[in-house]
Amino acid sequence: MEGAFTEKDSYAKHFVPKDYLEMYYSFHPKKEDENALLVFCLKTLHKAFHVGGLKGDTLIDIGSGPTIYQFLSACESFREIIATDYTDQNREEMQRWLRKEPEAFDWSPVVKYVCELEGDRQRWVEKEEKVRRTIKQVLKCDVTQANPLAPLRVPPADCVLS
């Protein structure tokens, strides 16, 4: 069964969002070397949305997974964010964070880091609320289909992340 995990049905059945988040997104601010990829992504998104001035009305993220890090800088530049993912468990994990459920993954160390990039580490609670307000929809997405969001239709986007 080598390689079977990459098939979408196997992925949907076996992927565990909490394990993935703990492995790749448990952020330790004083250990940037252990978080090198995440730090790179956060700095790049900060540059794109704050320094680069990328902005608009709608941002659609294709394949969000169970993560919200990609929205931390974007929420300051877009009125509406549409998150999408293939698996029910990834969308549900994101929804747990959006609903502030106690068992949701703790993104606060990552949020604090982004706030520090923006110049005010202390406004992390406000940042979390802004992200929650800006994510308007969490939708099913299947990139193996010609129309990944079918049967839904979404408005044209000013920015697409993937």
Side-chain angles (χ1 to χ4, degrees), residues 14-15 19 26-28 30 33 39 66 72 85 87 90 96 101 119 121 124-125 131 139 152-153 158 161:
H14 298 291
F15 188 78
D19 292 348
S26 290
F27 190 75
H28 305 285
K30 301 215 185 288
D33 56 321
V39 167
L72 297 173
D85 197 75
T87 71
N90 280 345
R96 273 193 277 283
E101 293 182 9
R121 183 179 173 87
W124 68 273
V125 174
V131 172
L139 304 175
L152 300 175
R153 299 194 55 90
D158 300 296
L161 290 180

Side-chain angles (χ1 to χ4, degrees), residues 9-154:
D9 292 334
S10 181
Y11 173 70
K13 183 177 178 182
H14 298 291
F15 188 78
V16 181
K18 205 66 145 179
D19 292 348
Y20 172 75
L21 292 170
E22 292 295 333
M23 174 69 74
Y24 297 104
Y25 298 95
S26 290
F27 190 75
H28 305 285
K30 301 215 185 288
K31 298 180 181 180
E32 279 196 27
D33 56 321
E34 291 180 18
N35 300 298
L37 181 58
L38 179 56
V39 167
F40 172 79
C41 290
L42 295 172
K43 286 180 176 179
T44 300
L45 291 164
H46 171 72
K47 286 179 186 171
F49 295 114
H50 286 276
V51 179
L54 187 57
K55 61 184 174 184
D57 288 325
T58 304
L59 178 147
I60 299 175
D61 184 29
I62 302 294
S64 304
T67 65
I68 57 97
Y69 76 91
Q70 65 274 35
F71 307 134
L72 297 173
S73 292
C75 74
E76 304 296 339
S77 301
F78 290 87
R79 184 183 53 75
E80 169 184 35
I81 293 174
I82 300 172
T84 71
D85 197 75
Y86 180 69
T87 71
D88 295 338
Q89 62 267 36
N90 280 345
R91 293 189 314 278
E92 182 54 36
E93 183 64 36
M94 184 183 293
Q95 292 283 10
R96 273 193 277 283
W97 183 82
L98 291 170
R99 292 186 302 256
K100 299 184 192 181
E101 293 182 9
E103 68 275 8
F105 183 74
D106 180 13
W107 285 99
S108 63
V110 177
V111 177
K112 289 174 184 177
Y113 182 81
V114 170
C115 287
E116 189 173 303
L117 290 175
E118 294 174 356
D120 188 357
R121 183 179 173 87
Q122 301 308 312
R123 68 175 290 263
W124 68 273
V125 174
E126 294 169 41
K127 171 69 82 176
E128 284 189 345
E129 290 309 310
K130 177 119 187 203
V131 172
R132 286 184 174 101
R133 282 192 315 271
T134 307
I135 298 173
K136 304 293 187 190
Q137 298 179 74
V138 179
L139 304 175
K140 172 106 176 153
C141 169
D142 184 350
V143 297
T144 67
Q145 302 302 309
N147 179 356
L149 299 174
L152 300 175
R153 299 194 55 90
V154 296

